[in-house]
Amino acid sequence: MSRIRVELTEEEVARVKGWAEARGGPKESWGTTMRWQKDGNYHFHGMLGEYAYAKHYNVAVDTEVTYLGDGGIDLKVLGQTVDVKTVNYDPAILKLNSIRDFNSDMMALALRNTDNEIYLCGFTDLRHAIQQCYSRDFGHGKRLCLDEGHLYF
């Protein structure tokens, strides 16, 4: 398993936290927040992974606030659209509700060790994801899963 470690400064973490609050605030009144997310940290958690990939590949982060999310595109890397999923459990597993959730050229997985230490776990394209995924129920219904070892850089 090959991971890339990305360290974030306190200033970068504060910047991401501000973006996440701006992204999540309006969604409370719109009613589009995640049902089981209770700590208000959902956007911050995800944006840490997005920011870590953007920092490593020296590309821009999407900070736009939209009603129903970003449509599955968080950033562009080498001309490819990327949807970053961030997890806080190890071993890291990329999870999708459905293969129809795959709206970008690539999906990427990030592992949040701490706010200041994020590991980039790799990418997958749709074809590879379909070939390697399996189904598992984590308590919110069956999810399509791809283990970190099947991702690539």
Side-chain angles (χ1 to χ4, degrees), residues 20-56:
E21 288 170 0
R23 185 182 278 182
K27 292 186 178 191
E28 301 268 332
S29 63
W30 294 338
T32 58
T33 58
M34 300 298 279
R35 292 184 311 275
W36 57 85
Q37 190 70 29
K38 303 289 189 237
D39 63 6
N41 232 4
Y42 178 75
H43 294 290
F44 177 59
H45 177 77
M47 286 199 79
L48 282 171
E50 294 171 28
Y51 185 82
Y53 269 94
K55 180 178 179 175
H56 180 75

Side-chain angles (χ1 to χ4, degrees), residues 31-83:
T32 58
T33 58
M34 300 298 279
R35 292 184 311 275
W36 57 85
Q37 190 70 29
K38 303 289 189 237
D39 63 6
N41 232 4
Y42 178 75
H43 294 290
F44 177 59
H45 177 77
M47 286 199 79
L48 282 171
E50 294 171 28
Y51 185 82
Y53 269 94
K55 180 178 179 175
H56 180 75
Y57 288 100
N58 196 29
V59 297
V61 177
D62 177 13
T63 59
E64 188 176 348
V65 177
T66 56
Y67 179 69
L68 289 176
D70 56 24
I73 298 172
D74 295 319
L75 36 101
K76 277 190 150 184
V77 175
L78 302 173
Q80 300 287 304
T81 58
V82 179
D83 185 5

